[in-house]
């Protein structure tokens, strides 16, 4: 699609949606949410084409268009409509996480276990330590803690450090799909992001469990620590059961696999909501179980998910963009920039530290930190738990964390592609030749697949 035609299409869609806003103002929320979803999908798809023309990842286009038409800016999609569509986004997360889990095979991970453990350790410990130490030192001036006792400031710094260690496997897999990247750096980044999600959830629980030793009376709700560990263990167990059930079904039924997977994603999202578990962990565990303990069925699952990946990615990232909450940037932007800078420095030097070991290749040590910039998924869920953990000022803490996640979410796809280009797994020629074909796979315009 030519740029001017794409811009004209976006303008026309925006005018139509503005008109429908007036016409449907008194309609039921469900009807307005359905209309908003259709508009978001069309607008985000066009935005993705524009982003590709501008030499940006299509994911960035989906996110930016979703943000532009969402409640944070133009308001063509209202906040209550985005909230009503959150279940659709959860189902999309389940499908993406299923595919991510199915990419992790024990056979492939075992030879690289030392390198991956070293990389994951550096990518977790260094951002955690950098953010925690600096935020403790500036707590007398930090808006959330300057009127709180020193112990409260230390626990807040530990929570921010924990969240700084998180990365997003959903963005990683989506970018791997868009770039058709299956090289060692891309696969290592996916394994590292999954490991970081699990490790950050455990670290968050430990911080809250031991926070009572430092915080003042009533500042910390200790029940949240138990909730966090139960969510992690329960989600992993539910995902394993789901993977077993999927394997049995796929071994018996050979037809309508795609339709069944979509239904499974909605069931997983519904169960996660009812039981307060993590959809992402459930689906990751299910995909991992299938790929490693039912490999034939796991390969069928991967084929089906890859074939239908484009609408899933458009749906998820358009809704994510529409749901971004960055209003706090206006008041706390210096602090958010500080946190982002500390996190990036921690990632950079954490991966360089990992590169001191002979098992870590120079490309991973030098470039892979850029592939870990993105955040989302588990980090958003932990931000919600942080709000509940600190009754007095948890809302402000959550707003700060969510705004920081939003910045990383938009910048993450660009940084990921830069990492693979520098590592030599995606060349400039291949990047410029990207074109979506056949339901979301990527092919080169100059003949043949990538």
């Amino acid at each position: 699609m030519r740029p001017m035609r794409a811009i004209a299409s976006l303008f026309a869609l925006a005018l139509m949606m503005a008109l429908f806003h007036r016409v449907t103002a008194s309609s039921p929320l469900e009807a307005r949410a359905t209309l908003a979803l259709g508009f978001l999908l069309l607008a985000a798809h066009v935005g993705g084409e524009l982003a590709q023309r501008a030499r940006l990842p299509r994911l960035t286009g989906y996110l930016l268009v979703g943000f532009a038409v969402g409640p944070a800016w133009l308001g063509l999609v209202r906040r209550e409509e985005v909230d009503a569509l959150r279940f659709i986004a959860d189902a999309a997360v389940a499908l993406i996480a299923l595919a991510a889990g199915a990419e992790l095979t024990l056979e492939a991970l075992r030879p690289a276990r030392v390198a991956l453990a070293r990389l994951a350790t550096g990518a977790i410990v260094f951002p955690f330590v950098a953010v925690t130490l600096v935020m403790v030192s500036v707590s007398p001036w930090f808006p959330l803690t300057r009127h709180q006792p020193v112990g409260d400031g230390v626990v807040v710094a530990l929570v921010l450090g924990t969240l700084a260690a998180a990365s997003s496997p959903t963005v990683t897999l989506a970018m791997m799909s868009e770039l058709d990247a299956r090289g060692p750096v891309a696969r290592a980044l996916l394994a590292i992001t999954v490991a970081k999600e699990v490790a950050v959830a455990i670290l968050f629980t430990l911080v809250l469990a031991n926070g009572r030793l430092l915080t003042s009376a009533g500042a910390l709700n200790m029940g949240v620590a138990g909730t966090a560990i139960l969510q992690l263990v329960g989600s992993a167990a539910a995902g394993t059961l789901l993977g077993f059930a999927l394997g049995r079904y796929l071994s018996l039924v050979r037809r309508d696999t795609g339709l069944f997977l979509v239904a499974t994603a909605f069931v997983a999202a519904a169960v996660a909501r009812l039981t307060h578990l993590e959809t992402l962990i459930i689906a990751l565990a299910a995909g991992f179980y299938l790929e490693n303990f039912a490999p034939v069925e796991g390969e069928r699952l991967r084929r089906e998910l890859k074939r239908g990946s484009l609408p899933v990615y458009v749906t998820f990232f358009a809704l994510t963009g529409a749901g971004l909450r960055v209003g706090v940037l206006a008041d706390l932007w210096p602090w958010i920039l500080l946190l982002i800078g500390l996190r990036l420095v921690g990632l950079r030097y954490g991966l360089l530290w990992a590169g001191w070991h002979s098992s870590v290749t120079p490309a991973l040590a030098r470039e892979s930190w850029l592939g870990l910039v993105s955040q989302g998924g588990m980090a958003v869920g932990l931000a919600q738990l942080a709000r509940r953990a600190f009754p007095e000022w948890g809302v402000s803490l959550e707003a700060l964390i969510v705004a920081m996640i939003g910045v990383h979410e938009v910048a993450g796809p660009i940084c990921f592609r830069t990492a693979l280009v520098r590592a030599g797994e995606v060349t400039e020629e291949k990047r410029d030749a990207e074109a979506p074909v056949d339901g979301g796979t990527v092919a080169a315009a100059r003949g043949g697949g990538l």
Side-chain angles (χ1 to χ4, degrees), residues 66-415:
F67 173 76
V69 303
W73 193 2
L74 297 178
L76 296 176
V77 178
R78 302 182 181 95
R79 178 64 63 188
E80 63 268 21
E81 294 162 359
V82 175
D83 293 340
L85 292 169
R86 185 52 51 193
F87 181 64
I88 304 292
D90 290 344
V93 166
L95 288 170
I96 297 172
L98 265 175
E103 293 286 343
L104 303 174
T105 62
L106 291 173
E107 182 180 355
L109 294 174
R110 195 173 290 115
R113 62 185 182 278
V114 176
L116 291 175
R118 180 103 177 173
L119 288 161
T121 300
I124 293 169
V125 172
F126 277 67
F128 172 76
V129 171
V131 171
T132 300
L133 290 180
V134 173
M135 295 311 294
V136 167
S137 66
V138 300
S139 61
W141 302 277
F142 187 45
L144 271 63
T145 58
R146 62 186 170 194
H147 300 302
Q148 306 296 333
V150 175
D152 292 4
V154 171
V155 175
V156 169
L158 288 167
V159 169
L160 291 173
T162 302
L163 271 295
S167 292
S168 173
T170 54
V171 173
T172 301
L173 183 69
M175 285 304 301
M176 287 175 63
S177 178
E178 178 173 329
L179 299 171
D180 197 24
R182 291 294 183 270
V185 172
R187 288 188 173 276
L189 286 172
L190 181 61
I192 294 167
T193 55
V194 172
K196 288 180 69 177
E197 291 288 85
V198 177
V200 165
I202 296 172
L203 182 58
F204 183 84
T205 303
L206 293 175
V207 166
L208 293 186
N210 293 282
R212 60 187 176 87
L213 302 175
L214 299 171
T215 54
S216 56
L220 178 62
N221 178 5
M222 285 303 301
V224 176
T227 300
I229 194 64
L230 286 175
Q231 281 186 351
L232 179 62
V233 174
S235 298
T240 303
L241 290 174
L242 177 61
F244 175 78
L246 274 173
R248 296 297 299 167
Y249 179 88
L250 294 174
S251 66
L252 296 173
V253 180
R254 300 287 178 178
R255 299 176 57 186
D256 300 323
T257 304
L259 182 62
F260 176 73
L261 289 177
V262 172
T264 300
F266 279 102
V267 170
V271 169
R273 282 199 166 197
L274 291 172
T275 57
H276 303 290
L277 299 178
E278 278 289 335
T279 306
L280 179 70
I281 299 297
I282 292 174
L284 278 173
F288 182 79
Y289 178 91
L290 265 180
E291 184 61 27
N292 290 279
F293 300 100
V296 175
E297 290 74 23
E299 182 59 30
R300 281 180 60 199
L301 177 140
R302 285 205 299 168
R303 284 200 309 269
E304 290 294 333
L305 291 174
K306 184 176 181 180
R307 190 171 65 175
S309 62
L310 181 60
V312 175
Y313 293 141
V314 174
T315 301
F316 174 70
F317 289 103
L319 287 171
T320 299
L324 288 177
R325 298 173 183 260
V326 293
V328 72
L329 281 172
D331 299 320
L332 296 176
W333 64 267
W335 295 101
I336 291 174
L337 286 180
L338 174 64
L339 288 166
I340 291 172
L342 291 170
R343 179 174 183 265
L344 295 182
V345 169
L347 284 173
R348 171 67 168 159
Y349 285 97
L351 273 293
L352 287 176
W353 168 82
W356 292 355
H357 197 276
S358 59
S359 63
V360 179
T361 63
L364 278 169
R366 290 195 310 266
E367 314 299 349
S368 58
W369 70 277
L370 285 166
L372 301 173
V373 169
S374 62
Q375 286 192 307
M378 178 68 73
V380 177
L382 294 180
Q384 295 171 352
L385 287 177
R387 180 193 65 208
R388 293 166 50 196
F390 301 98
E392 293 183 15
W393 28 268
V395 173
S396 299
L397 179 61
E398 181 192 24
L400 173 71
I401 295 170
V402 168
M404 185 174 69
I405 292 170
V407 174
H408 286 121
E409 206 156 22
V410 173
I414 301 172
C415 294

Side-chain angles (χ1 to χ4, degrees), residues 1-24:
M1 184 181 295
R2 294 179 179 177
M4 290 307 299
R5 183 177 298 178
I7 293 171
S9 298
L10 281 176
F11 186 70
L13 284 169
L15 286 178
M16 291 173 60
M17 192 62 187
L19 175 63
F20 289 147
H21 253 198
R22 292 182 175 274
V23 175
T24 62

